[in-house]
Amino acid sequence: MGSRGSLCFLFLLFLLASASSRGYDQLRREEDLLSCLTIHEISNFTTSRHPTYLHLLDKTIQNLRFVNSASASKPAAVIYPEKKVQVASAIRCCRQGSWTVRLRGGGHSYEGLTSYADAPFVLIDMVNLDRIKVDVESETAWVEAGATLGQIYHAVTEASKNHAFTGGMWQFVAPRLDDEFHLQVAVFPGGEDFIILGFLGLYLGPKPSALEAINGAFPELGITDEECKTMNWAEAFVLLRGDPNVTEYAHLPQRFSYHRTYDKAKSDFVKTPIPKDALVGALELLTRQRTPAGWILLDPFVIDWLNFTMTGEKAVEVARAWGEKYFMGNYERLVRAKTLIDPENFFRHPQSIPPLASPPPHQDGLAEEDQYSSNSQTLEMF
């Protein structure tokens, strides 16, 4: 017993010493990171030891599932670059300390992929880099990574009343409506024995054409002239969004005015009509719920993404399943660009474009200006 007790005691001491060593190594890595940031004249950051850390960390999170979540990992530091050179310097500092990096942009991720990682990580929040430049003549816009969709929609509409930028895609697969239509049906439980269907529709064109098309395809809805409103695209977005804090077009650029909610979404790409039996089964499931715990969104153009951890050609082929649907003919070009710019896959998360295992032997997939841009970025950032 004495020998066994001594062995247990020594094993406990070993565990404590290992934990203490890991804690010391982590603390030293954090100190090295902060020192590097200071050397590069980056002062706008916070760490877990700062009293305002959690407040600043959660301020730009759109999904409340990741606010003060005890189960989600937290970054060792949150950096708020104010100019592009600080982004490059912050990345250099993270690479020197072998930190995983998460970049938080304008809040476009359903799954909050910037809020956690499977290794010690640093969050670079791009909230201060949100400038937008719209060139109507060339029909292009340059948008910094921190801009929200609301800011983009507002900037485009301010530049032109005849242009729009969609955060999603338009409908091309529903056979009974014109391509100019976007129609969604939200189905959710209303009580123990009934469900509620909410129809959201947007038509790019004049009101008479919209009424003719929708009533021709779905006469049972009985849409009247008074139920249709003519407005510009950004105003339509505000109306369809249904956010109580964003009731006017002028509210769109207000980053922190949105009503944040707890959200979990799972979607798929509808290629063929859903069988009636499957829809009936889904609706029966909802009617059995006593509280509105879930809902179904029938959208002809919602794309699922694939979470994968593999690398090289296998990762490229697995990601092709969603990459070609989302990026269409640009997927191969994006893989080549990723391989040239970030061959080590430093910038990665479960939804990112993977690089090839080795650089491509030639650059046929990139235009001359893209090759120059890729090489320039590599030199500037690394």
Side-chain angles (χ1 to χ4, degrees):
M1 288 293 293
S3 175
R4 184 179 303 170
S6 298
L7 287 174
C8 291
F9 179 71
L10 289 173
F11 182 65
L12 178 60
L13 287 178
F14 173 76
L15 291 178
L16 291 173
S18 298
S20 176
S21 176
R22 287 195 298 271
Y24 174 76
D25 290 343
Q26 179 75 2
L27 182 62
R28 186 173 60 182
R29 288 180 67 200
E30 292 180 11
E31 293 293 345
D32 290 344
L33 172 65
L34 302 186
S35 176
C36 182
L37 294 176
T38 302
I39 291 173
H40 288 86
E41 300 181 348
I42 300 175
S43 58
N44 197 6
F45 61 84
T46 184
T47 69
S48 57
R49 286 171 279 174
H50 197 277
T52 62
Y53 167 79
L54 286 178
H55 170 73
L56 294 174
L57 172 64
D58 296 341
K59 189 173 180 62
T60 55
I61 293 179
Q62 302 295 326
N63 191 340
L64 292 179
R65 287 174 54 214
F66 305 105
V67 173
N68 291 328
S69 172
S71 59
S73 58
K74 297 289 191 294
V78 184
I79 307 171
Y80 301 91
E82 297 172 328
K83 45 191 177 182
K84 288 182 286 187
V85 67
Q86 291 184 342
V87 178
S89 297
I91 291 171
R92 290 192 190 97
C93 291
C94 292
R95 284 177 65 90
Q96 290 176 12
S98 299
W99 292 97
T100 294
V101 169
R102 288 290 182 264
L103 297 173
R104 177 178 292 168
H108 313 147
S109 172
Y110 263 154
E111 294 299 318
L113 298 177
T114 61
S115 299
Y116 59 89
D118 55 4
F121 72 105
V122 172
L123 173 62
I124 300 179
D125 196 321
M126 309 292 282
V127 62
N128 296 317
L129 296 174
D130 61 350
R131 287 167 294 189
I132 302 168
K133 181 180 179 181
V134 179
D135 186 339
V136 176
E137 184 176 349
S138 63
E139 296 187 319
T140 59
W142 287 95
V143 181
E144 291 189 331
T148 65
L149 284 177
Q151 290 174 302
I152 298 172
Y153 296 164
H154 186 271
V156 172
T157 305
E158 285 290 291
S160 170
K161 303 302 181 185
N162 299 317
H163 288 76
F165 172 83
T166 62
M169 297 182 181
W170 296 107
Q171 165 173 294
F172 292 104
V173 294
R176 296 179 62 186
L177 285 175
D178 296 341
D179 291 343
E180 289 79 9
F181 257 106
H182 179 73
L183 180 66
Q184 293 180 347
V185 184
V187 186
F188 49 93
E192 294 187 10
D193 57 355
F194 69 94
I195 59 173
I196 297 175
L197 283 78
F199 290 84
L200 304 175
L202 177 65
Y203 181 77
L204 297 179
K207 184 193 294 189
S209 299
L211 282 169
E212 181 182 357
I214 195 71
N215 286 326
F218 301 105
E220 60 268 34
L221 296 179
I223 303 297
T224 64
D225 183 87
E226 292 74 19
E227 292 176 298
C228 297
K229 298 181 179 180
T230 300
M231 57 188 68
N232 65 42
W233 183 83
E235 291 171 336
F237 168 79
V238 172
L239 177 65
L240 295 177
R241 181 181 174 87
D243 190 330
N245 295 320
V246 185
T247 57
E248 298 179 9
Y249 159 72
H251 295 163
L252 284 176
Q254 299 175 13
R255 176 185 293 271
F256 302 113
S257 65
Y258 292 165
H259 176 62
R260 298 191 296 177
T261 61
Y262 293 88
D263 180 54
K264 173 66 177 177
K266 182 66 176 177
S267 59
D268 201 357
F269 181 75
V270 181
K271 302 176 184 176
T272 58
I274 301 175
K276 183 177 179 179
D277 291 344
L279 289 174
V280 171
L283 298 180
E284 289 177 348
L285 175 64
L286 289 179
T287 58
R288 291 197 296 268
Q289 298 179 12
R290 294 185 178 274
T291 58
W295 50 271
I296 299 174
L297 179 65
L298 304 180
D299 189 331
F301 235 142
V302 179
I303 298 178
D304 193 10
W305 58 269
L306 180 64
N307 187 347
F308 61 92
T309 56
M310 60 192 70
T311 59
E313 280 72 8
K314 186 175 182 180
V316 171
E317 291 307 311
V318 171
R320 188 184 301 278
W322 60 267
E324 289 187 344
K325 294 184 180 74
Y326 199 89
F327 301 110
M328 294 179 284
N330 283 324
Y331 177 70
E332 288 287 350
R333 187 166 176 265
L334 289 171
V335 169
R336 287 179 173 271
K338 172 72 172 181
T339 305
L340 291 170
I341 298 171
D342 185 21
E344 298 178 6
N345 203 22
F346 179 76
F347 299 101
R348 65 187 183 276
H349 59 74
Q351 200 177 356
S352 58
I353 296 289
L356 296 166
S358 58
H362 50 76
Q363 300 182 3
D364 292 345
L366 296 178
E368 182 178 351
E369 61 271 18
D370 295 320
Q371 297 173 20
Y372 174 79
S373 175
S374 299
N375 294 330
S376 298
Q377 291 182 47
T378 304
L379 293 173
E380 178 186 354
M381 300 187 69
F382 306 123

